[in-house]
Amino acid sequence: MELLVELQKRIPDGWFMRRLLPATLFVMAAVVGGGQLGQRHWNDLGLARESIAGGLRLSGGLSADGVASLVLVAVAILAAAFVVPLAAGAIGALASGAWPWWLMPLARRVTAWRVRRWAHPDELGRQSVRARAAGRHLRADRLDARRARTERAAPGSPTWSGDRLRATEEHVGRESGSDIASDWTKVLLSADDIPRTALSETRAAYDAACEALAWSAAFTILGAWWWPAAAVGVLLWPAGWLSLRRAVEALCRTTEAVFALAATDPATPTVSP
């Protein structure tokens, strides 16, 4: 465990823990689970041990086939470690509401569906009071939880994250007269170490949550060849989704605070209105 912690300190951005280690686990699950066990022998631990032992057997030296197999596995691990962040970038773009033009018809349908499901928090509060007065405490608790996570404005994006990010842009524009898109670099370069570190950490948390969703999708797809992988992917999805919501909330609050500090700090260059 200490070795893993030390490696994480030495490798920038936790690349080992966030990318290389999950990529290794995924490739091993694909090779052993999908390639050797399959659906028919999904729980054959003896066959799994034999497969792993055969791949690690070094007695008598490595043959040409053994070297080639190790090289292929290493290449697959590195490829997964580099491809998943690209997929996570696409997930991050979709989560932020920046859908490509060819998905805009679907985006409009999803946004319309979210508008139909949306209810004002005050209305949800009144429904909760009526439900609690009628003795339906479980429904009242559910309505209270929904009211706490519902924005006061109607959805304007296909995702909750997109609405939250747009609300942050509007709030920063009203409070400081700044535009996040055009003034982001200027504020970031002029900020002190603490605000800059906070922004970097919240952005890293957002990227990590998107990568968790990408790994969830990868393991779910692998379930077509070895179904326990699909179970892992399904379990990873809600954890990644909750992490994404927390990361978006933290990123928005940190961004609002940094721009507010930039607008009030006389030592900070004035951002353009």
Side-chain angles (χ1 to χ4, degrees):
M1 190 62 174
E2 294 179 359
L3 177 61
L4 294 180
V5 174
E6 186 64 24
L7 284 173
Q8 186 179 10
K9 291 179 181 178
R10 293 179 179 273
I11 298 176
D13 299 327
W15 191 82
F16 177 83
M17 298 296 292
R18 276 178 50 187
R19 295 174 184 172
L20 189 60
L21 183 59
T24 303
L25 295 176
F26 176 78
V27 171
M28 293 301 297
V31 172
V32 177
Q36 299 293 329
L37 302 183
Q39 305 291 15
R40 181 173 298 180
H41 305 286
W42 65 271
N43 61 343
D44 193 339
L45 296 180
L47 180 58
R49 284 195 298 268
E50 292 177 2
S51 301
I52 296 174
L56 297 177
R57 190 174 294 116
L58 301 177
S59 60
L62 283 175
S63 63
D65 291 340
V67 173
S69 298
L70 288 178
V71 170
L72 288 176
V73 170
V75 169
I77 291 173
L78 291 176
F82 281 102
V83 169
V84 165
L86 297 179
I91 292 175
L94 293 177
S96 66
W99 291 34
W101 64 267
W102 48 274
L103 282 179
M104 287 308 298
L106 177 61
R108 285 189 288 268
R109 292 190 181 93
V110 174
T111 303
W113 173 76
R114 295 186 67 235
V115 170
R116 289 194 298 270
R117 290 186 68 253
W118 177 81
H120 198 279
D122 293 343
E123 176 59 26
L124 294 174
R126 287 190 288 268
Q127 294 180 17
S128 174
V129 171
R130 290 195 295 266
R132 202 172 298 278
R136 304 171 65 182
H137 299 287
L138 183 60
R139 173 174 171 77
D141 293 338
R142 184 174 65 84
L143 288 170
D144 288 338
R146 182 181 174 187
R147 179 171 61 89
R149 63 175 184 266
T150 299
E151 300 292 338
R152 301 189 69 85
S157 171
T159 63
W160 173 87
S161 301
D163 289 334
R164 185 66 181 88
L165 293 170
R166 299 295 93 73
T168 297
E169 292 180 356
E170 295 175 0
H171 181 266
V172 169
R174 289 195 305 269
E175 296 297 323
S176 63
S178 305
D179 179 71
I180 291 180
S182 60
D183 297 328
W184 175 268
T185 303
K186 185 186 299 183
V187 171
L188 187 63
L189 292 176
S190 61
D192 295 332
D193 290 339
I194 294 178
R196 187 184 301 112
T197 301
L199 280 175
S200 299
E201 290 178 351
T202 54
R203 177 65 198 196
Y206 180 82
D207 294 337
C210 293
E211 289 180 16
L213 293 176
W215 285 119
S216 171
F219 275 96
T220 303
I221 294 173
L222 180 58
W225 292 269
W226 188 52
W227 74 260
V232 173
V234 171
L235 291 176
L236 281 176
W237 182 263
W241 186 251
L242 290 175
S243 297
L244 179 64
R245 288 181 69 98
R246 289 194 294 267
V248 169
E249 190 67 33
L251 179 61
C252 290
R253 290 181 177 178
T254 304
T255 301
E256 292 173 0
V258 170
F259 271 83
L261 288 174
T264 57
D265 188 359
T268 302
T270 307
V271 293
S272 59

PDB file of all heavy atoms in Angstrom, residues 49 69 98 101 105 109 125 139 142 153 182 201 208 222 224 237 263-264:
ATOM      1  N   ARG A  49      -7.154 -19.076 -12.238  1.00  0.00           N
ATOM      2  CA  ARG A  49      -5.810 -19.170 -11.657  1.00  0.00           C
ATOM      3  C   ARG A  49      -4.814 -19.759 -12.647  1.00  0.00           C
ATOM      4  O   ARG A  49      -3.672 -19.301 -12.747  1.00  0.00           O
ATOM      5  CB  ARG A  49      -5.853 -20.016 -10.385  1.00  0.00           C
ATOM      6  CG  ARG A  49      -6.443 -19.313  -9.175  1.00  0.00           C
ATOM      7  CD  ARG A  49      -6.119 -20.060  -7.900  1.00  0.00           C
ATOM      8  NE  ARG A  49      -6.712 -21.398  -7.920  1.00  0.00           N
ATOM      9  CZ  ARG A  49      -7.908 -21.700  -7.430  1.00  0.00           C
ATOM     10  NH1 ARG A  49      -8.646 -20.748  -6.884  1.00  0.00           N
ATOM     11  NH2 ARG A  49      -8.372 -22.932  -7.483  1.00  0.00           N
ATOM     12  N   SER A  69       3.362 -12.018 -26.083  1.00  0.00           N
ATOM     13  CA  SER A  69       2.131 -11.893 -25.299  1.00  0.00           C
ATOM     14  C   SER A  69       2.244 -10.774 -24.275  1.00  0.00           C
ATOM     15  O   SER A  69       1.310  -9.981 -24.100  1.00  0.00           O
ATOM     16  CB  SER A  69       1.829 -13.221 -24.594  1.00  0.00           C
ATOM     17  OG  SER A  69       1.621 -14.253 -25.537  1.00  0.00           O
ATOM     18  N   ALA A  98     -22.566  20.720 -23.741  1.00  0.00           N
ATOM     19  CA  ALA A  98     -21.978  21.105 -25.032  1.00  0.00           C
ATOM     20  C   ALA A  98     -22.075  19.928 -25.999  1.00  0.00           C
ATOM     21  O   ALA A  98     -21.078  19.280 -26.313  1.00  0.00           O
ATOM     22  CB  ALA A  98     -20.527  21.541 -24.844  1.00  0.00           C
ATOM     23  N   TRP A 101     -23.381  19.136 -32.918  1.00  0.00           N
ATOM     24  CA  TRP A 101     -24.546  19.539 -33.717  1.00  0.00           C
ATOM     25  C   TRP A 101     -25.387  18.341 -34.138  1.00  0.00           C
ATOM     26  O   TRP A 101     -26.619  18.434 -34.196  1.00  0.00           O
ATOM     27  CB  TRP A 101     -24.082  20.312 -34.950  1.00  0.00           C
ATOM     28  CG  TRP A 101     -23.257  19.494 -35.913  1.00  0.00           C
ATOM     29  CD1 TRP A 101     -21.902  19.397 -35.942  1.00  0.00           C
ATOM     30  CD2 TRP A 101     -23.739  18.659 -36.977  1.00  0.00           C
ATOM     31  NE1 TRP A 101     -21.491  18.557 -36.944  1.00  0.00           N
ATOM     32  CE2 TRP A 101     -22.609  18.086 -37.597  1.00  0.00           C
ATOM     33  CE3 TRP A 101     -24.998  18.333 -37.459  1.00  0.00           C
ATOM     34  CZ2 TRP A 101     -22.714  17.217 -38.678  1.00  0.00           C
ATOM     35  CZ3 TRP A 101     -25.109  17.461 -38.528  1.00  0.00           C
ATOM     36  CH2 TRP A 101     -23.973  16.918 -39.128  1.00  0.00           C
ATOM     37  N   PRO A 105     -30.785  17.355 -32.122  1.00  0.00           N
ATOM     38  CA  PRO A 105     -32.186  16.907 -32.038  1.00  0.00           C
ATOM     39  C   PRO A 105     -32.472  16.096 -30.782  1.00  0.00           C
ATOM     40  O   PRO A 105     -33.506  16.291 -30.131  1.00  0.00           O
ATOM     41  CB  PRO A 105     -32.360  16.069 -33.312  1.00  0.00           C
ATOM     42  CG  PRO A 105     -31.349  16.637 -34.268  1.00  0.00           C
ATOM     43  CD  PRO A 105     -30.181  17.003 -33.415  1.00  0.00           C
ATOM     44  N   ARG A 109     -34.863  17.071 -27.395  1.00  0.00           N
ATOM     45  CA  ARG A 109     -35.873  16.163 -26.832  1.00  0.00           C
ATOM     46  C   ARG A 109     -35.619  15.921 -25.351  1.00  0.00           C
ATOM     47  O   ARG A 109     -36.559  15.902 -24.537  1.00  0.00           O
ATOM     48  CB  ARG A 109     -35.881  14.847 -27.596  1.00  0.00           C
ATOM     49  CG  ARG A 109     -36.375  14.945 -29.028  1.00  0.00           C
ATOM     50  CD  ARG A 109     -36.578  13.564 -29.622  1.00  0.00           C
ATOM     51  NE  ARG A 109     -37.036  13.617 -30.997  1.00  0.00           N
ATOM     52  CZ  ARG A 109     -36.243  13.588 -32.049  1.00  0.00           C
ATOM     53  NH1 ARG A 109     -34.925  13.502 -31.878  1.00  0.00           N
ATOM     54  NH2 ARG A 109     -36.735  13.643 -33.273  1.00  0.00           N
ATOM     55  N   GLY A 125     -42.176  22.020  -2.151  1.00  0.00           N
ATOM     56  CA  GLY A 125     -42.313  22.210  -0.710  1.00  0.00           C
ATOM     57  C   GLY A 125     -43.761  22.140  -0.262  1.00  0.00           C
ATOM     58  O   GLY A 125     -44.069  21.534   0.780  1.00  0.00           O
ATOM     59  N   ARG A 139     -43.241   9.811   1.207  1.00  0.00           N
ATOM     60  CA  ARG A 139     -43.380  10.686   0.041  1.00  0.00           C
ATOM     61  C   ARG A 139     -42.905  12.102   0.374  1.00  0.00           C
ATOM     62  O   ARG A 139     -42.264  12.759  -0.457  1.00  0.00           O
ATOM     63  CB  ARG A 139     -44.830  10.703  -0.422  1.00  0.00           C
ATOM     64  CG  ARG A 139     -45.112  11.721  -1.525  1.00  0.00           C
ATOM     65  CD  ARG A 139     -46.530  11.616  -2.064  1.00  0.00           C
ATOM     66  NE  ARG A 139     -46.836  12.722  -2.943  1.00  0.00           N
ATOM     67  CZ  ARG A 139     -46.414  12.823  -4.206  1.00  0.00           C
ATOM     68  NH1 ARG A 139     -45.643  11.890  -4.727  1.00  0.00           N
ATOM     69  NH2 ARG A 139     -46.758  13.865  -4.941  1.00  0.00           N
ATOM     70  N   ARG A 142     -39.200  12.167   0.252  1.00  0.00           N
ATOM     71  CA  ARG A 142     -38.728  12.131  -1.137  1.00  0.00           C
ATOM     72  C   ARG A 142     -38.892  13.482  -1.804  1.00  0.00           C
ATOM     73  O   ARG A 142     -38.011  13.939  -2.559  1.00  0.00           O
ATOM     74  CB  ARG A 142     -39.489  11.055  -1.909  1.00  0.00           C
ATOM     75  CG  ARG A 142     -39.013  10.863  -3.355  1.00  0.00           C
ATOM     76  CD  ARG A 142     -39.725   9.684  -3.991  1.00  0.00           C
ATOM     77  NE  ARG A 142     -41.148   9.923  -4.109  1.00  0.00           N
ATOM     78  CZ  ARG A 142     -41.718  10.589  -5.116  1.00  0.00           C
ATOM     79  NH1 ARG A 142     -40.954  11.107  -6.079  1.00  0.00           N
ATOM     80  NH2 ARG A 142     -43.023  10.742  -5.166  1.00  0.00           N
ATOM     81  N   ALA A 153     -34.796  27.752 -11.535  1.00  0.00           N
ATOM     82  CA  ALA A 153     -35.095  28.074 -12.933  1.00  0.00           C
ATOM     83  C   ALA A 153     -35.369  26.790 -13.705  1.00  0.00           C
ATOM     84  O   ALA A 153     -34.810  25.729 -13.399  1.00  0.00           O
ATOM     85  CB  ALA A 153     -33.929  28.829 -13.566  1.00  0.00           C
ATOM     86  N   SER A 182     -14.133  34.161 -21.643  1.00  0.00           N
ATOM     87  CA  SER A 182     -13.068  35.042 -22.143  1.00  0.00           C
ATOM     88  C   SER A 182     -12.084  35.461 -21.065  1.00  0.00           C
ATOM     89  O   SER A 182     -10.925  35.768 -21.360  1.00  0.00           O
ATOM     90  CB  SER A 182     -13.686  36.284 -22.791  1.00  0.00           C
ATOM     91  OG  SER A 182     -14.470  36.997 -21.841  1.00  0.00           O
ATOM     92  N   GLU A 201      -7.788  21.556  -8.365  1.00  0.00           N
ATOM     93  CA  GLU A 201      -8.283  20.354  -7.695  1.00  0.00           C
ATOM     94  C   GLU A 201      -9.730  20.059  -8.067  1.00  0.00           C
ATOM     95  O   GLU A 201     -10.094  18.898  -8.291  1.00  0.00           O
ATOM     96  CB  GLU A 201      -8.141  20.519  -6.182  1.00  0.00           C
ATOM     97  CG  GLU A 201      -6.700  20.495  -5.698  1.00  0.00           C
ATOM     98  CD  GLU A 201      -6.591  20.712  -4.212  1.00  0.00           C
ATOM     99  OE1 GLU A 201      -7.629  21.050  -3.585  1.00  0.00           O
ATOM    100  OE2 GLU A 201      -5.482  20.553  -3.660  1.00  0.00           O
ATOM    101  N   ALA A 208     -11.842  13.290 -13.097  1.00  0.00           N
ATOM    102  CA  ALA A 208     -11.816  11.949 -12.517  1.00  0.00           C
ATOM    103  C   ALA A 208     -13.207  11.321 -12.518  1.00  0.00           C
ATOM    104  O   ALA A 208     -13.358  10.117 -12.771  1.00  0.00           O
ATOM    105  CB  ALA A 208     -11.256  12.002 -11.101  1.00  0.00           C
ATOM    106  N   LEU A 222     -17.824  -4.883 -21.701  1.00  0.00           N
ATOM    107  CA  LEU A 222     -17.108  -6.155 -21.533  1.00  0.00           C
ATOM    108  C   LEU A 222     -18.033  -7.251 -21.026  1.00  0.00           C
ATOM    109  O   LEU A 222     -17.774  -8.447 -21.254  1.00  0.00           O
ATOM    110  CB  LEU A 222     -15.938  -5.953 -20.567  1.00  0.00           C
ATOM    111  CG  LEU A 222     -15.061  -7.177 -20.266  1.00  0.00           C
ATOM    112  CD1 LEU A 222     -14.450  -7.741 -21.543  1.00  0.00           C
ATOM    113  CD2 LEU A 222     -13.980  -6.814 -19.249  1.00  0.00           C
ATOM    114  N   ALA A 224     -20.627  -8.264 -22.234  1.00  0.00           N
ATOM    115  CA  ALA A 224     -21.139  -9.078 -23.339  1.00  0.00           C
ATOM    116  C   ALA A 224     -20.359 -10.386 -23.467  1.00  0.00           C
ATOM    117  O   ALA A 224     -20.872 -11.372 -24.007  1.00  0.00           O
ATOM    118  CB  ALA A 224     -21.087  -8.293 -24.638  1.00  0.00           C
ATOM    119  N   TRP A 237     -21.416   2.991 -12.141  1.00  0.00           N
ATOM    120  CA  TRP A 237     -22.147   4.102 -12.746  1.00  0.00           C
ATOM    121  C   TRP A 237     -22.741   5.055 -11.714  1.00  0.00           C
ATOM    122  O   TRP A 237     -22.496   6.283 -11.787  1.00  0.00           O
ATOM    123  CB  TRP A 237     -23.228   3.578 -13.686  1.00  0.00           C
ATOM    124  CG  TRP A 237     -23.975   4.679 -14.358  1.00  0.00           C
ATOM    125  CD1 TRP A 237     -25.161   5.223 -13.998  1.00  0.00           C
ATOM    126  CD2 TRP A 237     -23.543   5.407 -15.516  1.00  0.00           C
ATOM    127  NE1 TRP A 237     -25.519   6.234 -14.860  1.00  0.00           N
ATOM    128  CE2 TRP A 237     -24.544   6.372 -15.792  1.00  0.00           C
ATOM    129  CE3 TRP A 237     -22.429   5.324 -16.337  1.00  0.00           C
ATOM    130  CZ2 TRP A 237     -24.442   7.243 -16.867  1.00  0.00           C
ATOM    131  CZ3 TRP A 237     -22.331   6.205 -17.405  1.00  0.00           C
ATOM    132  CH2 TRP A 237     -23.330   7.140 -17.662  1.00  0.00           C
ATOM    133  N   ALA A 263     -12.564  40.268  -8.617  1.00  0.00           N
ATOM    134  CA  ALA A 263     -13.252  41.542  -8.825  1.00  0.00           C
ATOM    135  C   ALA A 263     -13.033  42.522  -7.678  1.00  0.00           C
ATOM    136  O   ALA A 263     -13.101  43.736  -7.866  1.00  0.00           O
ATOM    137  CB  ALA A 263     -14.749  41.292  -9.006  1.00  0.00           C
ATOM    138  N   THR A 264     -12.743  41.985  -6.468  1.00  0.00           N
ATOM    139  CA  THR A 264     -12.590  42.865  -5.297  1.00  0.00           C
ATOM    140  C   THR A 264     -11.142  43.095  -4.911  1.00  0.00           C
ATOM    141  O   THR A 264     -10.868  44.015  -4.140  1.00  0.00           O
ATOM    142  CB  THR A 264     -13.316  42.251  -4.088  1.00  0.00           C
ATOM    143  OG1 THR A 264     -12.801  40.925  -3.829  1.00  0.00           O
ATOM    144  CG2 THR A 264     -14.814  42.149  -4.367  1.00  0.00           C
TER     145      THR A 264
END
